[in-house]
Amino acid sequence: MAESVLLSDPSPRLAAAFRAIHAERMRGLPFVNPNVRVEAIGFAPWKHYWLGVVLTPWAMNLVLAPRDPAAFRALPAGEKRRCRFPAGAFDFVSVRDETVGDHLSCSLFSPVLEFRDHETARETARLALAALLDPSHAESEERRPLADLSTPMSRRDLLRGGIAKRGDDARR
């Protein structure tokens, strides 16, 4: 039985691809924050993926890129895959890109106009990754209303680090 060859950290490819997109198509658009730069943040192995955040002047996205190609099942572009993390389940959209390759993306902020500087956006990305992997942010079943058992935590709840009001919102 042949062993699978693991892929290297996609951070350099992701950053280069999004810098090119910024230079070629995004500069000067009204939803682009000139105080935020392109950066691939915190990429580390998670299961058979590389997990990290891609920060651009127009969006902040969680990204799952293949680490073990034998275990990664690509989807047609735009299709969703629900991924379970210690903090809950989140929907990711399949992306097919010639430069970066197939990966999954989950929007945290789009646009990123509320960030006054790159450092604040970067720290938010790091905190979002930490919260995603922290099981203390998952809602316990005894606190969850029965009708809400299949509802994943929202990205906004993840970033706020609190999910106590979620049951109330689901009943409205």
Side-chain angles (χ1 to χ4, degrees):
M1 184 190 284
E3 245 183 73
S4 180
V5 175
L6 298 180
L7 299 176
S8 63
D9 179 355
S11 297
R13 289 189 322 275
L14 286 163
F18 282 97
R19 280 187 194 108
I21 290 168
H22 184 236
E24 295 166 11
R25 295 182 274 180
M26 304 302 275
R27 286 195 192 276
L29 294 176
F31 55 86
V32 171
N33 184 340
N35 300 317
V36 175
R37 299 181 304 277
V38 171
E39 185 177 0
I41 300 166
F43 276 82
W46 183 78
K47 297 189 178 185
H48 55 270
Y49 297 103
W50 285 99
L51 169 65
V53 174
V54 172
L55 174 60
T56 69
W58 60 93
M60 180 188 300
N61 297 316
L62 287 169
V63 171
L64 287 169
R67 183 171 163 254
D68 181 353
F72 183 81
R73 184 178 53 87
L75 299 172
E79 283 197 21
K80 290 184 180 179
R81 176 177 292 162
R82 179 158 289 180
C83 299
R84 184 157 297 285
F85 294 90
F90 297 87
D91 289 333
F92 283 72
V93 175
S94 177
V95 179
R96 306 202 84 170
D97 183 272
E98 291 178 24
T99 307
V100 181
D102 293 335
H103 60 281
L104 301 169
S105 181
C106 177
S107 178
L108 294 174
F109 289 91
S110 182
V112 294
L113 296 173
E114 59 270 2
F115 295 104
R116 70 180 189 283
D117 56 47
H118 185 79
E119 292 69 29
T120 303
R122 178 193 293 135
E123 184 61 19
T124 301
R126 289 185 195 283
L127 291 170
L129 275 173
L132 183 70
L133 300 173
D134 184 348
S136 73
H137 292 292
E139 196 165 332
S140 69
E141 288 195 28
E142 54 276 358
R143 284 188 5 213
R144 257 175 136 167
L146 188 56
D148 194 30
L149 287 176
S150 64
T151 305
M153 181 191 324
S154 75
R155 290 181 289 273
R156 181 159 285 149
D157 287 340
L158 169 71
L159 291 170
R160 289 181 179 157
I163 53 180
K165 294 183 181 178
R166 205 168 110 206
D168 295 335
D169 293 341
R171 288 183 281 228
R172 286 186 198 166

